Amino acid sequence: MNNQVLIDNLRCITDFPKKGINFRDVTTLYKSGECMKIMLDEMYELYKDKGITKIVGIESRGFVMASALAGRLGCGVVLARKPGKLPSTVIKESFSKEYGVDTVEMHIDSISTDDVVLIHDDLLATGGTAMATYKLVRHFNPKKIYMNFIIEITDEGLHGRDVFKDIELTTLLTV
Protein backbone atom coordinates (compact mmCIF):
# COMPACT_ATOMS: atom_id res chain seq x y z
CA MET A 1 0.00 0.00 0.00
CA ASN A 2 2.82 2.38 0.94
CA ASN A 3 0.72 5.49 1.53
CA GLN A 4 3.03 8.48 1.06
CA VAL A 5 1.70 10.31 4.14
CA LEU A 6 2.63 7.31 6.30
CA ILE A 7 6.07 7.02 4.70
CA ASP A 8 6.70 10.75 5.20
CA ASN A 9 5.78 10.48 8.90
CA LEU A 10 7.78 7.33 9.71
CA ARG A 11 10.92 8.00 11.74
CA CYS A 12 14.03 5.85 11.32
CA ILE A 13 16.56 5.74 14.17
CA THR A 14 19.96 4.35 13.22
CA ASP A 15 21.90 2.08 15.57
CA PHE A 16 18.95 1.44 17.90
CA PRO A 17 18.66 -0.64 20.04
CA LYS A 18 22.17 -1.65 18.98
CA LYS A 19 24.70 -0.73 16.32
CA GLY A 20 23.72 -1.82 12.84
CA ILE A 21 19.94 -1.82 13.38
CA ASN A 22 17.80 0.86 11.73
CA PHE A 23 14.77 1.05 14.00
CA ARG A 24 11.48 2.10 12.36
CA ASP A 25 9.63 4.14 14.98
CA VAL A 26 5.90 3.66 14.52
CA THR A 27 5.16 6.10 17.37
CA THR A 28 5.51 8.97 14.90
CA LEU A 29 2.54 7.49 13.02
CA TYR A 30 0.52 7.03 16.21
CA LYS A 31 0.91 10.66 17.26
CA SER A 32 -0.61 11.93 14.01
CA GLY A 33 -4.40 11.94 13.77
CA GLU A 34 -4.12 11.87 9.98
CA CYS A 35 -1.83 8.82 10.04
CA MET A 36 -4.04 7.01 12.54
CA LYS A 37 -7.07 7.58 10.32
CA ILE A 38 -5.22 6.38 7.22
CA MET A 39 -3.95 3.22 8.97
CA LEU A 40 -7.33 2.42 10.51
CA ASP A 41 -9.18 3.01 7.23
CA GLU A 42 -6.73 0.81 5.29
CA MET A 43 -6.88 -1.99 7.85
CA TYR A 44 -10.66 -1.80 8.02
CA GLU A 45 -10.92 -2.17 4.23
CA LEU A 46 -8.62 -5.20 4.36
CA TYR A 47 -10.59 -7.01 7.08
CA LYS A 48 -14.19 -5.74 7.09
CA ASP A 49 -15.49 -8.80 5.23
CA LYS A 50 -13.30 -11.50 6.83
CA GLY A 51 -15.54 -12.29 9.81
CA ILE A 52 -12.87 -11.35 12.38
CA THR A 53 -14.04 -12.09 15.93
CA LYS A 54 -10.75 -11.47 17.80
CA ILE A 55 -7.67 -9.36 17.14
CA VAL A 56 -4.50 -10.41 18.92
CA GLY A 57 -2.31 -7.37 19.57
CA ILE A 58 1.37 -8.12 20.20
CA GLU A 59 3.08 -6.23 23.04
CA SER A 60 3.07 -3.39 23.13
CA ARG A 61 2.86 -1.28 20.00
CA GLY A 62 0.53 -3.86 18.45
CA PHE A 63 -2.07 -3.04 21.10
CA VAL A 64 -2.75 0.40 19.60
CA MET A 65 -4.10 -0.52 16.16
CA ALA A 66 -5.47 -3.87 17.35
CA SER A 67 -7.74 -1.99 19.75
CA ALA A 68 -8.70 0.72 17.26
CA LEU A 69 -9.55 -1.81 14.55
CA ALA A 70 -11.45 -4.06 16.97
CA GLY A 71 -13.63 -1.08 17.86
CA ARG A 72 -14.34 -0.44 14.19
CA LEU A 73 -14.99 -4.14 13.41
CA GLY A 74 -16.97 -4.78 16.60
CA CYS A 75 -14.78 -7.66 17.74
CA GLY A 76 -12.69 -8.52 20.79
CA VAL A 77 -9.03 -7.85 21.57
CA VAL A 78 -6.60 -10.42 22.97
CA LEU A 79 -3.23 -9.39 24.37
CA ALA A 80 -0.02 -11.26 23.56
CA ARG A 81 2.28 -10.08 26.35
CA LYS A 82 5.73 -10.50 27.78
CA PRO A 83 6.08 -12.88 30.74
CA GLY A 84 4.53 -11.92 34.05
CA LYS A 85 2.13 -9.30 32.67
CA LEU A 86 -1.08 -11.36 32.48
CA PRO A 87 -2.88 -12.10 35.77
CA SER A 88 -4.46 -15.49 35.00
CA THR A 89 -3.27 -18.85 33.67
CA VAL A 90 -1.28 -18.51 30.44
CA ILE A 91 0.28 -20.48 27.63
CA LYS A 92 3.66 -19.30 26.38
CA GLU A 93 6.05 -19.52 23.46
CA SER A 94 9.73 -18.53 23.43
CA PHE A 95 11.58 -17.33 20.34
CA SER A 96 14.85 -15.81 19.13
CA LYS A 97 14.89 -12.35 17.66
CA GLU A 98 17.51 -10.20 16.02
CA TYR A 99 18.93 -9.03 19.36
CA GLY A 100 18.04 -11.67 21.97
CA VAL A 101 15.56 -14.29 23.18
CA ASP A 102 12.06 -13.46 24.36
CA THR A 103 8.73 -15.06 25.27
CA VAL A 104 5.10 -14.18 24.57
CA GLU A 105 2.13 -15.32 26.64
CA MET A 106 -1.65 -15.35 26.27
CA HIS A 107 -4.43 -16.28 28.66
CA ILE A 108 -5.56 -19.89 28.16
CA ASP A 109 -9.17 -18.78 27.66
CA SER A 110 -8.41 -16.06 25.07
CA ILE A 111 -9.64 -17.72 21.88
CA SER A 112 -12.19 -20.39 20.98
CA THR A 113 -12.49 -22.77 18.05
CA ASP A 114 -15.32 -20.57 16.73
CA ASP A 115 -13.08 -17.50 16.42
CA VAL A 116 -11.63 -15.94 13.29
CA VAL A 117 -8.41 -14.30 14.45
CA LEU A 118 -6.32 -11.43 13.14
CA ILE A 119 -2.83 -11.20 14.65
CA HIS A 120 -1.53 -7.62 14.51
CA ASP A 121 1.79 -5.99 15.31
CA ASP A 122 3.52 -2.80 14.31
CA LEU A 123 6.56 -4.33 12.62
CA LEU A 124 7.60 -7.44 10.70
CA ALA A 125 11.38 -7.90 10.61
CA THR A 126 12.63 -11.46 11.16
CA GLY A 127 9.18 -12.81 12.04
CA GLY A 128 10.22 -14.29 15.40
CA THR A 129 7.71 -12.52 17.61
CA ALA A 130 4.91 -12.96 15.11
CA MET A 131 5.66 -16.66 14.62
CA ALA A 132 5.65 -17.26 18.38
CA THR A 133 2.29 -15.49 18.61
CA TYR A 134 0.98 -17.44 15.61
CA LYS A 135 1.95 -20.71 17.35
CA LEU A 136 0.07 -19.61 20.47
CA VAL A 137 -3.04 -18.73 18.47
CA ARG A 138 -2.85 -21.99 16.51
CA HIS A 139 -2.89 -23.83 19.87
CA PHE A 140 -6.54 -22.72 20.23
CA ASN A 141 -7.46 -24.14 16.79
CA PRO A 142 -9.56 -21.16 15.60
CA LYS A 143 -11.51 -21.30 12.33
CA LYS A 144 -9.05 -19.00 10.52
CA ILE A 145 -5.96 -16.90 11.27
CA TYR A 146 -4.85 -13.75 9.43
CA MET A 147 -1.80 -11.56 10.09
CA ASN A 148 -1.26 -7.84 9.64
CA PHE A 149 1.62 -5.46 10.25
CA ILE A 150 1.94 -1.73 9.80
CA ILE A 151 5.55 -1.99 8.57
CA GLU A 152 7.42 -4.80 6.83
CA ILE A 153 11.19 -4.36 6.66
CA THR A 154 12.79 -5.84 3.55
CA ASP A 155 15.60 -3.37 2.84
CA GLU A 156 18.06 -4.86 5.34
CA GLY A 157 18.02 -8.43 4.05
CA LEU A 158 15.20 -9.34 6.42
CA HIS A 159 12.64 -11.81 5.14
CA GLY A 160 10.14 -12.19 7.98
CA ARG A 161 7.32 -12.87 5.54
CA ASP A 162 9.10 -16.03 4.38
CA VAL A 163 8.46 -17.84 7.68
CA PHE A 164 4.70 -17.68 7.06
CA LYS A 165 3.83 -20.08 4.25
CA ASP A 166 0.10 -20.72 4.44
CA ILE A 167 -1.29 -17.61 6.05
CA GLU A 168 -2.79 -14.47 4.56
CA LEU A 169 -0.38 -11.71 5.61
CA THR A 170 -0.79 -8.02 4.82
CA THR A 171 1.29 -4.94 5.56
CA LEU A 172 0.56 -1.25 5.18
CA LEU A 173 4.16 -0.17 4.48
CA THR A 174 7.14 -1.98 3.03
CA VAL A 175 10.56 -0.40 3.64
Side-chain angles (χ1 to χ4, degrees), residues 43-112:
M43 290 173 63
Y44 178 76
E45 287 303 314
L46 286 168
Y47 294 103
K48 67 182 180 185
D49 298 322
K50 301 287 189 185
I52 305 294
T53 58
K54 301 269 176 66
I55 301 177
V56 175
I58 300 175
E59 179 146 347
S60 65
R61 291 177 300 269
F63 298 166
V64 176
M65 293 309 296
S67 298
L69 183 58
R72 176 83 70 88
L73 291 175
C75 65
V77 175
V78 174
L79 305 181
R81 302 225 46 199
K82 293 182 179 182
K85 301 289 185 178
L86 295 171
S88 191
T89 307
V90 299
I91 59 170
K92 60 178 104 184
E93 186 74 31
S94 293
F95 62 97
S96 297
K97 55 186 187 177
E98 57 272 30
Y99 41 86
V101 175
D102 213 341
T103 301
V104 289
E105 298 180 342
M106 292 172 52
H107 281 135
I108 61 167
D109 59 355
S110 298
I111 296 170
S112 80

